Amino acid sequence: MTIRILLADDHEAIRTAYRIILDAQPDLTVVAEAADGASALEQARLLRPDVVLADIRMPKLDGLELTRRLAGPEVADPVKVVVVTTFDLDEYVHAALRNGATGFLLKRSSPALLVEAVRAAMAGDTLISPQLTVRLLRALPAPEAAPVDPPADPLTARERELAGLVADGSTNAEIAEQLFISAGTVKNHLANIQRKLGVRNRVGIASRVWGERR
């Protein structure tokens, strides 16, 4: 299945760069571009792309409001939105996720991470730039106390190793390279880890690991 993407950014050079990166992938295709949030909203409702890549600061309608209107809790048939921005402000991350975003990337992220974020959104996962994930988790309060009789660790040694790398901010590609395994094997391990820990995505995995480290 080909993933259809709409690009929303007021800088033409950035849209062009994204199009080159995404169209180079056999399973991704850019179907439309928008230079402002109002146009992006109109085209998204008309074309129903699989994923919208949205900048935050755009004319007419900013990316956070665009996300809310396309993917917010009150939307009956939401569209998947990945926010891509220059501004790594924690309040933007929280606002985007509250408004229904399925990813939050910094524009300085690698092309591989951009592709991974689109695919993760289609898989129902939420990918946040690793440096932001680590910073947000460090800000979490420490747990009050450990349970008296903690359950046995449900993860294998290999799965715990992968979970630790996720918590340290590594992408799937970086994990695969470091552990000398394929990207598909990494995805399979992460799916098993999520199931065993009862979390929805890699952010949940990282949060669990950081909680244990405190």
Side-chain angles (χ1 to χ4, degrees), residues 11-167:
H11 292 92
E12 183 178 2
I14 290 177
R15 297 198 309 272
T16 299
Y18 288 170
R19 180 182 281 274
I20 291 172
I21 293 168
L22 297 169
D23 281 347
Q25 303 300 313
D27 58 332
L28 308 180
T29 184
V30 174
V31 296
E33 298 182 19
D36 62 74
S39 175
L41 180 63
E42 180 181 0
Q43 293 192 66
R45 288 175 171 172
L46 176 66
L47 299 174
R48 298 296 301 178
D50 298 307
V51 179
V52 175
L53 293 182
D55 190 15
I56 285 185
R57 297 190 179 180
M58 292 186 292
K60 300 183 180 180
L61 192 70
D62 67 55
L64 296 177
E65 179 61 18
L66 173 65
T67 301
R68 187 188 69 79
R69 296 193 191 186
L70 291 177
E74 74 285 356
V75 179
D77 188 15
V79 175
K80 298 180 185 300
V81 180
V82 175
V83 173
V84 189
T85 181
T86 304
F87 306 98
D88 60 343
L89 301 177
D90 292 352
E91 55 264 37
Y92 281 171
V93 182
H94 292 302
L97 296 179
R98 280 197 309 270
N99 288 354
T102 53
F104 193 103
L105 294 184
L106 299 178
K107 287 186 176 179
R108 62 176 179 269
S109 299
S110 68
L113 196 62
L114 181 69
V115 171
E116 189 174 333
V118 172
R119 290 173 177 157
M122 281 302 295
D125 202 352
T126 301
L127 194 153
I128 300 175
S129 282
Q131 56 267 54
L132 291 176
T133 301
V134 171
R135 192 175 76 216
L136 292 172
L137 292 173
R138 282 175 176 163
L140 290 176
E144 294 183 2
V148 176
D149 295 311
D153 189 350
L155 303 183
T156 65
R158 186 58 137 183
E159 289 168 346
R160 179 150 292 281
E161 186 177 17
L162 262 83
L165 291 173
V166 169

